[in-house]
Amino acid sequence: MHDVPLASTAPPLGGRRTLSPTAWRPLALGVPAPGLISLLVVLLLAAWVGYAATERRLGILEPDRIVAIDDFPELSGIAYLPGSGTLLGVGDNGEIAEISLEGKVLRKRLHANRDFEDIVLLAHPDLALATDEQHALLVTISLTDLSIIEEHGIPAGFSLTRHKNKSVEGLALAGEPPRLVLANEYPPAITFFSGTSVPPRTVLLGAASVSGVIAGPSGELLVISRENGLMLLDAEGQPQSGWRPVEYHHIEGAAFVPGIGLVLCVDRNPGILLIFSAIKDWDALRHALVS
C-alpha cells in the first residue's frame, strides 16, 4: 500500500492563498451560495411580518366575505329587513331592491330620474325612508311593492353643499325619540334635526368626504367615508375613534345583520357586499374601531 500524499494547506510562496475552481465557480455564474439564500428567505419573511404588523397598527379592516350582486350596479345604501333576513338596497340609477346575503336580487323596482343614496327603516313595519339626491328629497317607500308613497323636502338648515349633486349622501334615525341625521358629502359633515323648535346642529368631520351613516342602539353613529373608511361618533356627534381604513374604497352604506355581522356596500358595477363576520354587534364595532 502506498500512502497518498495530502494536499498542502499552507499558502503558496508570497503569502497569497489561491481559490480552487470549486470555490469560485458559483460566484462566477451568479448563483447565490446556500447561506445567502437562507439570508434572503429570512429577510423576505421579516418584511412580510412587518407589513402585516403595519396593517394591524393602521387598523385596516378586511372583510371575511366579498359578495357581488348579480343585477344591481352602483349600490349606494342598504338596510336590514329583520322579517326576511334580507337587505333592502337603493342605487344611483333609481333602483330599489330586496337582496339576499348571497347577492341575489329577489325583487326590484326602477324609479326613473331618481338618484337614491341611502335608506333606513321607519317604525311602521312596511315603510322605509330614502334620500333622492337628484331632487333633494326624502321619499317614503312602501316595502310591499317598493313604490314611492310620499315625498318631503330636505329640512331647512341643511345647506352645506357647494357642488351640484354633492349633497345628502346618508341618513339615519338616531336616539329615542328618533331624530333625523343627514350626512353631507362635501364639506364632510353630519347634521342633527331634533324638531321644528330646535335649530339643526351640524358637526364638521375631518375626512375627504362622507358617504353614509347608520345609528346604533344608544344613539351613537357609524360614519362612512369612501376614502377614509369608518369612524364612530357618540350621540352628540363627538368622535369616539379615529378613521379606520377599509381594504376597499367606494364604500357607501352599512347595516348590521344578526348572526352575520357588519355588512358594507360598495358602489361599483356590479354592486358589492363586504361582510365582516367578526364584528357581530355594536360592542364588537366599538372594540374594532376604538382599540
Side-chain angles (χ1 to χ4, degrees):
M1 178 181 293
H2 298 282
D3 292 334
V4 179
L6 297 176
S8 174
T9 58
L13 294 177
R16 297 182 181 177
R17 184 183 299 275
T18 58
L19 294 175
S20 67
T22 56
W24 55 259
R25 183 176 297 122
L27 298 177
L29 295 176
V31 179
L36 183 56
I37 294 176
S38 299
L39 178 60
L40 289 173
V41 170
V42 170
L43 291 175
L44 288 173
L45 287 174
W48 181 86
V49 170
Y51 173 76
T54 300
E55 278 201 329
R56 287 192 296 271
R57 286 196 299 272
L58 292 175
I60 295 176
L61 298 175
E62 300 182 5
D64 304 287
R65 291 173 53 199
I66 302 171
V67 179
I69 302 173
D70 59 6
D71 185 25
F72 204 120
E74 300 185 56
L75 180 67
S76 57
I78 54 175
Y80 173 63
L81 294 171
S84 58
T86 56
L87 296 172
L88 187 65
V90 294
D92 296 346
N93 300 318
E95 294 172 305
I96 303 176
E98 184 178 358
I99 305 165
S100 75
L101 292 170
E102 289 70 40
K104 183 176 178 58
V105 174
L106 305 175
R107 57 188 178 119
K108 181 170 65 173
R109 183 160 183 167
L110 176 64
H111 296 272
N113 301 315
R114 300 280 185 172
D115 179 3
F116 296 126
E117 291 296 331
D118 205 358
I119 190 164
V120 63
L121 299 186
L122 295 174
H124 191 288
D126 295 324
L127 298 178
L129 187 67
T131 62
D132 175 7
E133 186 178 53
Q134 182 168 330
H135 301 94
L137 293 173
L138 298 178
V139 297
T140 303
I141 305 295
S142 168
L143 301 186
T144 303
D145 58 2
L146 305 182
S147 62
I148 296 174
I149 62 174
E150 199 172 15
E151 296 182 345
H152 308 273
I154 298 296
F158 189 83
S159 57
L160 283 170
T161 186
R162 294 184 241 171
H163 298 278
K164 183 180 180 181
N165 200 35
K166 296 291 183 183
S167 52
V168 183
E169 287 286 316
L171 81 160
L173 296 173
E176 191 59 47
R179 56 179 174 171
L180 178 68
V181 178
L182 297 180
N184 192 75
E185 181 178 14
Y186 184 81
I190 58 169
T191 300
F192 296 87
F193 297 89
S194 300
T196 56
S197 61
V198 180
R201 184 170 60 87
T202 296
V203 177
L204 292 170
L205 301 172
S209 69
V210 169
S211 56
V213 60
I214 64 172
S218 301
E220 64 267 69
L221 298 168
L222 176 64
V223 183
I224 302 155
S225 168
R226 297 184 190 91
E227 299 86 359
N228 299 83
L230 307 178
M231 173 186 277
L232 191 64
L233 307 180
D234 66 15
E236 299 306 315
Q238 297 302 309
Q240 299 300 292
S241 74
W243 287 104
R244 292 295 184 268
V246 178
E247 187 177 8
Y248 290 79
H249 290 175
H250 302 283
I251 302 167
E252 293 276 334
F256 270 107
V257 180
I260 299 295
L262 177 66
V263 179
L264 303 180
C265 68
V266 180
D267 180 357
R268 295 284 81 187
N269 190 4
I272 295 171
L273 300 176
L274 306 178
I275 299 176
F276 299 80
S277 61
I279 305 178
K280 295 290 188 186
D281 50 30
W282 282 84
D283 287 337
L285 179 67
R286 295 185 197 103
H287 178 76
L289 297 188
V290 176
S291 60

